[in-house]
């Protein structure tokens, strides 16, 4: 890596504020050539509502190829300072971190904030006049309680390392704060999962789902999420009836859960947490206690009211107790936010800040549920997969990208770098039944560095598709420890991570998603290379002689096409692997 270190001192950080009532003091918690941590203390003589305050600094644009933000997907390019959109971070949106990476994937400048609850605005933009990146963090952008003492930490990492390592270090730093301690991750959060959404949407039938679970279990799937539709006979894909959660369609709910358990599968139900449809009984009960009634889908509960939080908590508690569920998919958490018509604070509320109220709601949800079942799983999806959300959820899923294998891969990688030991799941895998086998397999192989979720009707897909699903699900289950706990590195973010690696002391798995050269600089007892593309040529570049390996080549159905001795000599080596197939190498 080519590294020119541009360290930042406290004198380099400019404080911009229009409020003369508050004083800002910057002190150093840690400072070395690689990582600096600053404490920003903001005080006033008497409690007041703070005005927006910006911390700003600049660094020269040395070897910067792109800018990584938690949910920018394909848009990891540099941003000019005349582009006005900035990144928002709050409890249920993104994470307060940005990483500038180099042309060699090196970390150039990664900065993060300790406050993952309140709304922040962050960016790193290049100015054409001087070729400097101007970085900033803006605080106090939403309604706040009056304060007279506020602290936030700013962490800046310019260390020479792969940019993904800088992000993992930020994740560990967040874990060190008492109010950001992640919740326990149960085994059920780390099993391949069957979802009903893309394959059935709201058309759910008990007998069909039970038969699908029997097939899925035999393929290696150990849990099912019953998505939207179980609670209502309305099939408009709307949310008019949300809020009551009294099942109409799957109305023999306890028996249905027992029948699913009899197949061997665990089961969780979907809930759209903030929505209270206008055709629900809850809408009349909580009239006047909504953040907005002008949402495109449904009125949004206001969690600043204690009776709203109590109502929501009891919905999940009762479902867990009455139906013996194993988990929940708690959806649309990001819609708990400030709207233009959000009512002002009144005496019936016990919180001023919406974000703090959401923190209280979700803390009480996970505490209540874990007191009943310590192994309960809670799934959240992007964008609410930040460090605060790790307190309440143990499964993070890539945001919806039906049929988009590349986006699924990118989103899994982006989540993984900040998720620590929290389970990272793919978006549900789906494809057209008439799709060519190898193209359908792209959906599977692009998700294998996360926990796979599948959403196809198994009784209807072609036999060879079923064989492909079985092979790669069994492969994932066999290598679960490696994939979920091994050292994960995604390469070339601006190229959408065409090479990914995960390894431990005994094995390395390489995923190759485009026609790039795979560089090997270390010997492993076992080496698997996933040819996750439609061309068959895989090029290895070995930096030394690694010796002889037993070599087995598989197609995407798991058929062994060739077994031989392969010598990994120093230099270039080409291996032909079938499209979406696999080579397994074991040291002789």
């Amino acid at each position: 890596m080519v590294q020119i270190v541009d360290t930042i001192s406290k004198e380099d950080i400019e404080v911009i504020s229009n409020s003369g009532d508050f004083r800002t003091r910057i002190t150093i918690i840690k400072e070395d050539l690689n990582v600096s941590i600053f404490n920003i203390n903001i005080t006033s003589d008497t409690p007041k509502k703070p005005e927006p305050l910006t911390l700003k600094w600049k660094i020269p644009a040395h070897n910067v190829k792109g800018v990584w933000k938690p949910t920018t997907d394909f848009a990891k390019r540099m941003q000019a300072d005349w582009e006005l959109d900035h990144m928002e971070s709050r409890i249920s949106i993104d994470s307060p971190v940005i990483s500038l990476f180099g042309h060699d994937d090196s970390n150039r400048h990664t900065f993060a904030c300790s406050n993952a609850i309140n709304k922040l605005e962050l960016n790193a933009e290049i100015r054409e006049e001087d070729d400097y990146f101007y970085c900033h963090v803006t605080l106090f952008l939403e309604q706040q309680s009056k304060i007279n003492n506020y602290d936030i930490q700013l962490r800046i990492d310019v260390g020479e390392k792969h940019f993904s390592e800088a992000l993992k270090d930020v994740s560990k730093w967040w874990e060190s704060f008492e109010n950001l301690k992640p919740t326990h991750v149960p085994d059920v959060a780390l099993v391949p999962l069957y979802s009903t959404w893309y394959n059935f949407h709201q058309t759910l039938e008990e007998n069909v789902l039970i038969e699908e679970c029997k097939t899925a279990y035999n393929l290696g799937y150990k849990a099912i999420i019953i998505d939207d539709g179980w609670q209502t006979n309305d099939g408009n894909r709307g949310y008019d009836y949300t809020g009551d959660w009294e099942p109409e369609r799957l109305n023999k709910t306890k028996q249905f859960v027992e029948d699913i358990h009899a197949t061997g599968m665990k089961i969780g139900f979907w809930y759209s947490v903030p929505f209270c449809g206008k055709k629900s009984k809850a809408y009349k009960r909580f009239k006047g206690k909504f953040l907005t009634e002008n949402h495109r889908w449904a009125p949004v509960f206001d969690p600043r009211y204690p009776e709203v939080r109590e109502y929501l908590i009891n919905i999940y508690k009762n479902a867990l107790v009455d139906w013996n569920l194993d988990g929940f998919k708690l959806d649309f958490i990001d819609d708990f936010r400030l709207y233009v018509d959000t009512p002002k604070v009144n005496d019936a509320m016990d919180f001023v800040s919406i974000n703090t109220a959401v923190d209280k709601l979700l803390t009480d949800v996970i505490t209540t549920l874990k007191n009943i079942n310590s192994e309960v799983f809670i799934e959240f999806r992007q964008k609410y997969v930040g460090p605060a959300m790790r307190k309440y959820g143990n499964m993070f899923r890539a945001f919806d990208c039906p049929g988009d294998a590349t986006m699924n891969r990118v989103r899994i990688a982006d989540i993984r770098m900040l998720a620590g030991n929290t389970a990272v799941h793919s978006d549900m895998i789906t494809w057209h039944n008439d799709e060519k086998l190898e193209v359908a397999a792209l959906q599977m192989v692009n998700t294998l560095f996360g926990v796979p979720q599948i959403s196809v009707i198994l009784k209807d897909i072609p036999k060879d598709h079923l064989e492909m699903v079985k092979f790669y699900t069994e492969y994932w289950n066999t290598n679960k420890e490696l994939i979920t706990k091994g050292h994960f590195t995604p390469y070339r973010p601006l190229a959408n991570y065409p090479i990914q690696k995960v390894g431990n002391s005994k094995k390395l798995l390489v995923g190759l998603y485009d026609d790039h050269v795979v560089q090997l600089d270390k010997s492993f007892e076992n080496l698997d290379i996933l040819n996750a593309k439609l061309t068959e040529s895989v090029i290895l570049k070995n930096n030394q002689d690694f010796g002889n390996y037993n070599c087995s080549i598989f197609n995407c159905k798991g058929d062994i096409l060739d077994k031989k001795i392969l010598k990994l000599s120093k230099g270039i080596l080409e291996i032909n692997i079938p499209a979406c197939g696999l080579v397994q190498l074991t040291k002789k």
Side-chain angles (χ1 to χ4, degrees):
M1 296 183 181
V2 178
Q3 191 82 342
I4 302 174
V5 176
D6 297 303
T7 57
I8 297 295
S9 68
K10 68 177 185 177
E11 289 76 21
D12 295 319
I13 302 174
E14 180 185 4
V15 179
I16 303 170
S17 175
N18 291 325
S19 175
D21 296 323
F22 286 87
R23 298 176 296 276
T24 303
R25 180 169 176 259
I26 302 175
T27 56
I28 298 169
I29 296 175
K30 174 185 177 182
E31 188 173 42
D32 59 37
L33 288 176
N34 294 324
V35 177
S36 299
I37 301 176
F38 305 97
N39 188 78
I40 294 89
N41 176 243
I42 300 161
T43 59
S44 69
D45 293 330
T46 58
K48 297 179 183 296
K49 180 182 174 182
E51 296 294 325
L53 180 148
T54 297
L55 307 170
K56 193 169 187 177
W57 65 99
K58 67 177 183 177
I59 60 167
H62 291 157
N63 183 30
V64 177
K65 184 176 184 179
V67 179
W68 188 96
K69 300 172 186 175
T71 56
T72 45
D73 295 335
F74 296 154
K76 294 179 171 68
R77 65 171 180 84
M78 295 189 292
Q79 184 177 344
D81 67 343
W82 40 261
E83 297 179 79
L84 299 180
D85 292 334
H86 301 304
M87 172 188 152
E88 175 188 347
S89 170
R90 54 185 165 88
I91 187 171
S92 57
I93 287 286
D94 274 340
S95 305
V97 60
I98 290 177
S99 179
L100 283 68
F101 58 88
H103 293 267
D104 49 0
D105 279 6
S106 60
N107 169 53
R108 300 300 308 141
H109 189 89
T110 296
F111 65 95
C113 291
S114 59
N115 194 321
I117 306 293
N118 297 333
K119 180 177 176 178
L120 305 175
E121 188 181 80
L122 306 87
N123 218 336
E125 305 166 297
I126 192 167
R127 179 174 294 176
E128 60 191 64
E129 285 83 358
D130 59 9
D131 286 316
Y132 272 78
F133 273 94
Y134 287 77
C135 306
H136 82 260
V137 178
T138 300
L139 319 175
F140 310 132
L141 287 165
E142 284 186 350
Q143 59 187 36
Q144 299 277 336
S145 304
K146 292 181 179 180
I147 62 171
N148 63 353
N149 197 337
Y150 178 87
D151 285 278
I152 189 172
Q153 291 185 22
L154 174 66
R155 183 183 189 275
I156 298 176
D157 185 347
V158 296
E160 185 175 348
K161 64 188 79 171
H162 194 272
F163 83 97
S164 66
E165 298 305 307
L167 291 172
K168 293 174 194 174
D169 289 344
V170 168
S171 180
K172 293 174 185 174
W173 177 63
W174 282 327
E175 290 178 18
S176 70
F177 292 90
E178 193 59 38
N179 71 331
L180 295 178
K181 296 289 185 187
T183 191
H184 165 67
V185 181
D187 290 341
V188 67
L190 291 161
V191 300
L193 187 148
Y194 181 98
S195 168
T196 63
W197 182 238
Y198 291 142
N199 47 5
F200 293 109
H201 285 98
Q202 292 178 311
T203 307
L204 303 172
E205 298 179 36
E206 289 97 332
N207 292 337
V208 172
L209 293 174
I210 291 166
E211 291 304 311
E212 283 286 288
C213 280
K214 291 177 183 177
T215 303
Y217 184 82
N218 290 331
L219 292 172
Y221 294 84
K222 305 303 180 186
I224 181 172
I225 287 181
I226 308 296
D227 214 294
D228 188 7
W230 65 269
Q231 79 287 0
T232 178
N233 286 322
D234 177 55
N236 293 315
R237 285 182 67 176
Y239 301 92
D240 286 344
Y241 294 90
T242 56
D244 294 338
W245 305 105
E246 297 171 355
E248 293 179 347
R249 194 182 302 270
L250 300 183
N251 52 28
K252 298 176 182 177
T253 315
K254 185 174 183 180
Q255 182 60 54
F256 173 68
V257 171
E258 288 179 3
D259 291 340
I260 295 296
H261 282 156
T263 70
M265 299 278 271
K266 302 288 188 180
I267 181 171
F269 278 14
W270 168 90
Y271 290 82
S272 58
V273 178
F275 296 153
C276 185
K278 291 185 177 181
K279 295 181 180 179
S280 69
K281 290 181 289 186
Y283 174 72
K284 297 176 183 177
R285 175 179 170 181
F286 291 100
K287 183 72 174 174
K289 295 179 180 177
F290 299 115
L291 293 171
T292 182
E293 290 202 34
N294 297 312
H295 194 283
R296 60 182 289 197
W297 289 318
V300 177
F301 280 117
D302 190 337
R304 295 175 295 178
Y305 290 96
E307 58 268 35
V308 168
R309 299 196 305 274
E310 181 183 16
Y311 176 74
L312 292 173
I313 292 164
N314 283 331
I315 285 173
Y316 316 129
K317 174 185 175 181
N318 293 337
L320 190 65
V321 172
D322 295 344
W323 302 333
N324 195 26
L325 294 180
D326 302 291
F328 298 83
K329 175 180 178 177
L330 300 183
D331 213 351
F332 295 104
I333 307 297
D334 46 342
D335 284 296
F336 283 127
R337 63 179 180 86
L338 181 66
Y339 297 84
V340 292
D341 57 340
T342 295
K344 293 183 178 179
V345 178
N346 61 53
D347 291 340
M349 300 174 180
D350 58 354
F351 284 94
V352 173
S353 165
I354 296 167
N355 294 318
T356 308
V358 172
D359 182 43
K360 174 62 173 172
L361 168 65
L362 295 178
T363 297
D364 289 349
V365 166
I366 189 64
T367 301
T368 300
L369 298 181
K370 285 177 66 176
N371 283 341
I372 299 166
N373 177 3
S374 62
E375 298 299 295
V376 67
F377 72 79
I378 304 290
E379 181 195 283
F380 294 136
R381 65 166 166 83
Q382 286 173 308
K383 292 183 173 181
Y384 37 97
V385 294
M389 303 306 290
R390 293 185 65 199
K391 296 162 58 177
Y392 340 107
N394 41 47
M395 292 167 52
F396 287 172
R397 177 177 64 81
F399 183 68
D400 303 33
C401 50
D404 192 337
T406 303
M407 184 64 85
N408 218 345
R409 174 178 86 240
V410 169
R411 287 175 171 166
I412 291 167
D414 284 342
I415 298 172
R416 275 200 70 163
M417 286 181 278
L418 292 179
N421 70 333
T422 301
V424 177
H425 283 238
S426 73
D427 184 37
M428 294 81 73
I429 307 162
T430 188
W431 62 85
H432 195 284
N433 276 3
D434 296 334
E435 186 63 89
K436 182 180 177 183
L437 171 64
E438 290 78 9
V439 178
L442 285 172
Q443 301 294 334
M444 285 292 297
V445 296
N446 273 274
T447 64
L448 293 183
F449 285 81
V451 184
Q453 291 195 16
I454 196 166
S455 193
V456 294
I457 301 176
L458 297 171
K459 70 179 181 64
D460 292 341
I461 64 174
K463 181 175 179 291
D464 57 352
H465 287 199
L466 202 64
E467 292 172 350
M468 177 269 293
V469 171
K470 181 177 177 63
F471 171 59
Y472 275 120
T473 307
E474 288 181 347
Y475 177 84
W476 192 94
N477 280 321
T478 300
N479 293 278
K480 171 182 171 179
E481 187 80 8
L482 168 71
I483 293 171
T484 61
K485 297 182 180 179
H487 188 269
F488 171 69
T489 308
Y491 296 87
R492 303 182 183 180
L494 271 174
N496 302 321
Y497 308 125
I499 301 173
Q500 298 185 23
K501 296 179 181 178
V502 63
N504 56 29
S505 61
K506 295 182 179 179
K507 187 170 185 175
L508 176 69
L509 167 61
V510 178
L512 180 62
Y513 297 93
D514 211 335
D515 289 319
H516 290 265
V517 175
V518 176
Q519 298 197 45
L520 298 178
D521 53 13
K522 182 179 177 182
S523 177
F524 287 87
E525 292 180 29
N526 298 281
L527 171 64
D528 289 1
I529 301 175
L530 181 66
N531 183 33
K533 53 189 179 64
L534 297 182
T535 56
E536 296 189 354
S537 177
V538 172
I539 307 296
L540 306 184
K541 183 179 180 182
N542 307 316
N543 72 348
Q544 57 184 285
D545 288 324
F546 294 126
N548 292 328
Y549 284 77
N550 293 313
C551 170
S552 298
I553 297 176
F554 301 81
N555 65 16
C556 65
K557 295 190 298 180
D559 300 324
I560 297 180
L561 303 186
D562 193 12
K563 296 187 77 170
K564 58 186 178 183
I565 304 298
L566 187 68
K567 186 175 183 180
L568 296 188
S569 301
K570 183 178 180 180
I572 301 296
L573 174 67
E574 180 180 15
I575 308 175
N576 286 323
I577 307 172
C580 291
L582 175 75
V583 62
Q584 292 191 310
L585 302 170
T586 304
K587 188 111 174 158
K588 281 183 64 67

